[in-house]
Amino acid sequence: MASVAVGLVAFLALSPFALTEKVGYLESTSCADPKGLVTCYKNAEERYTTCINENCGGGGEACSKSCGGSISCMNSKCPGLGIDCMNVCGAEQSALQMDCAGSHCWNQVYSCEYQDTVIGWIDQYPNPNRDGLPFFPAPDNAPGSCSCNLGKVDRKLYLGTQQMTTCSNNETNLNQFTKVDDITSYGKACRCCAFSSIISSIWDTCPDTKPSLLGADEWFSGVLNPGDWDECGPYLENYDCAGDLGFGREDAGAFSKFWSPTSMPTNGTKTASNIAGAITSPVSGNTFTWSMGETTNAFGRTTSPLIHTVTVTSANAVVTGKGKAQATSDGESTATGTSSSAAESETKPGIGSSLGVPSWTMAGFMVAVLFSTF
Ligand SMILES: *[C@@H]1O[C@H](CO)[C@@H](O)[C@H](O)[C@H]1NC(C)=O
Ligand SMILES: *[C@@H]1O[C@H](CO)[C@@H](O)[C@H](O)[C@H]1NC(C)=O
C-alpha cells in the first residue's frame, strides 16, 4: 500500500527533460488584424529572449538566436541553460501568444492553430490553471473550429490520467480488499482503465483524424507499452472502469467506451483542419481576462502577470470568412453559429497538432510504473 502511494504521488512530478518545440501556429493573414498579430508575436519573442538571458545562465542570447528560439535545439546545443528555465520562459511566451491571438486574431480562436497555441502553453507552464482558459476547448462544431477538437482531446487525456491516481487511492474500493493480490489486481485495473481512457480520448474524440497526429505513438511508446498495456485485456473485462473505478465521472473525463488491446478502434486517416464558417464578431466582447494559475514560476517570482487582461483590437478589420455564422459575445465561448457542417474547409491546409505526451504525464507515468508494486 505505502509503495503504491509513493509511486502515485510522484506522478505529479515535473519532468526535468521536457522538450517542446516553439512554433507560432497561427497564419497571420487569416487574422482580423494581421499586422497587429505579427508585431505582438515579435514582442512575445523578445520577452522570451530577455527572459532566457536574465534567468537561464550565460550565453542565452547567442544560443537562442542560433536556434531560432527552438527549445529542443537550445537544450541539445547549450544544455547549461537549463531546460526547466527555458520552459518557464517558453510558457511565458506562449501565454503572450495566447493574448496576441485573442486580441488580433479573435476570428480564429476556435481554429486548430489557436487550440494548439493553448496546448503549447499548458504543456510548458508548471502548474496550469486548466479551467477558464480563453476559448478552450472550443465548443463542438463552432464556426471555423478545428475538425478535431484538440482542446477536448487534451482535457480528456488530462482527466483520464489524473483519475489513475484517484482510482488507485480510492478508499471505498481499497477497504474491501483483504488480500494483497486483490489490491495488486485493483491497482493494475486502475492503470489499465487509464490507458484505455487515453485511447478513447484520442480515437473517440476525433475518430476521423489520424491518431499519430494526436500523439498516439508517443503515448504508446512512452506510457502504454512500458506499462504493459498488452496485458490489460482481462482487467478491462473484469472491472467496471466507468462505474466502480470512477472513469465515467464527469470530472474524470466522462469516459464510456473502454477499448482493450484486442479490440482497438479503427484509425482515422485525415489531418485536422478548420471546418467551414467564421467568427464575425469577437466571442469575448471587447475585453477578456484569463488566469494562468497559482504557481510562482521556477525563478521563485512571476515573469508575467498571473491574470491576463486582453483587449480585442478594433473589430473594423474585415474578416474574409465565407460563413454566416456568428458566435455569441457572452464570453462563454458558446457557439451558436449556423455552421454545424463538418465539411472541411477547402482553403485551409491540414495541420498536425501539438498534442504530444505532455512532459509531466510522461515523467509521472514512468515513475508510477517503475515504483508501483502492481
Ligand atoms: C493505428 O494507429 C496507431 C497509432 O499511430 C498505430 O500504432 C497502429 O499501427 C495503427 N493501426 C493500423 C492498423 O494502421
Ligand atoms: C470510488 O469508488 C466508488 C465505489 O466503487 C465509486 O463509486 C466512486 O466513483 C469512486 N470515487 C472516485 C473519486 O473515483
Side-chain angles (χ1 to χ4, degrees), residues 39-319:
T39 308
C40 191
Y41 262 62
K42 275 211 181 102
N43 291 340
E45 199 181 316
E46 272 164 29
R47 283 278 288 275
Y48 173 68
T49 311
T50 309
C51 174
I52 299 262
N53 289 334
E54 287 180 353
N55 300 289
C56 309
E61 188 167 10
C63 185
S64 171
K65 274 206 177 119
S66 72
C67 278
S70 153
I71 287 188
S72 56
C73 165
M74 288 171 77
N75 187 45
S76 68
K77 279 200 177 172
C78 3
L81 289 180
I83 194 68
D84 277 342
C85 189
M86 287 191 287
N87 264 342
V88 171
C89 293
E92 185 192 18
Q93 184 184 11
S94 296
L96 293 172
Q97 288 175 345
M98 283 166 62
D99 294 351
C100 292
S103 176
H104 303 281
C105 203
W106 51 260
N107 57 316
Q108 291 282 326
V109 290
Y110 295 145
S111 67
C112 303
E113 292 82 355
Y114 174 80
Q115 300 287 308
D116 262 341
T117 306
V118 179
I119 292 168
W121 174 74
I122 291 174
D123 287 352
Q124 290 175 91
Y125 197 66
N127 186 16
N129 174 10
R130 291 167 170 269
D131 298 319
L133 290 176
F135 322 113
F136 183 93
D140 282 329
N141 298 319
S145 65
C146 193
S147 60
C148 164
N149 193 329
L150 301 174
K152 206 168 168 183
V153 176
D154 186 72
R155 172 155 297 184
K156 280 185 163 266
L157 286 168
Y158 174 72
L159 294 175
T161 50
Q162 290 293 99
Q163 180 60 21
M164 184 179 90
T165 311
T166 311
C167 175
S168 305
N169 294 325
N170 187 331
E171 299 284 337
T172 315
N173 290 337
L174 289 170
N175 287 342
Q176 317 173 70
F177 304 127
T178 46
K179 285 192 239 140
V180 173
D181 279 0
D182 291 345
I183 295 175
T184 306
S185 290
Y186 174 75
K188 277 188 185 160
C190 289
R191 199 162 82 202
C192 288
C193 296
F195 290 171
S196 191
S197 82
I198 289 168
I199 289 164
S200 177
S201 302
I202 294 173
W203 270 263
D204 293 333
T205 312
C206 298
D208 297 336
T209 309
K210 210 174 164 196
S212 61
L213 297 173
L214 302 173
D217 296 344
E218 290 163 270
W219 280 104
F220 269 95
S221 63
V223 176
L224 273 70
N225 292 341
D228 297 328
W229 160 248
D230 55 346
E231 292 168 16
C232 278
Y235 296 94
L236 292 163
E237 249 168 56
N238 296 332
Y239 289 82
D240 173 14
C241 292
D244 293 346
L245 274 61
F247 287 80
R249 289 197 340 271
E250 197 61 39
D251 62 349
F255 293 98
S256 56
K257 181 77 201 159
F258 294 90
W259 302 95
S260 88
T262 48
S263 72
M264 282 289 288
T266 320
N267 289 351
T269 54
K270 292 187 183 164
T271 56
S273 59
N274 299 324
I275 66 172
I279 298 171
T280 52
S281 69
V283 179
S284 58
N286 291 333
T287 58
F288 65 90
T289 57
W290 66 282
S291 161
M292 296 191 22
E294 288 159 13
T295 331
T296 48
N297 65 33
F299 317 133
R301 60 179 178 81
T302 57
T303 49
S304 169
L306 289 179
I307 303 286
H308 285 235
T309 302
V310 180
T311 304
V312 177
T313 47
S314 147
N316 55 16
V318 178
V319 181

Side-chain angles (χ1 to χ4, degrees), residues 346-369:
E346 298 297 325
T347 55
K348 275 266 161 210
I351 64 158
S353 92
S354 60
L355 276 168
V357 181
S359 50
W360 52 264
T361 312
M362 180 73 89
F365 257 115
M366 288 318 293
V367 171
V369 167

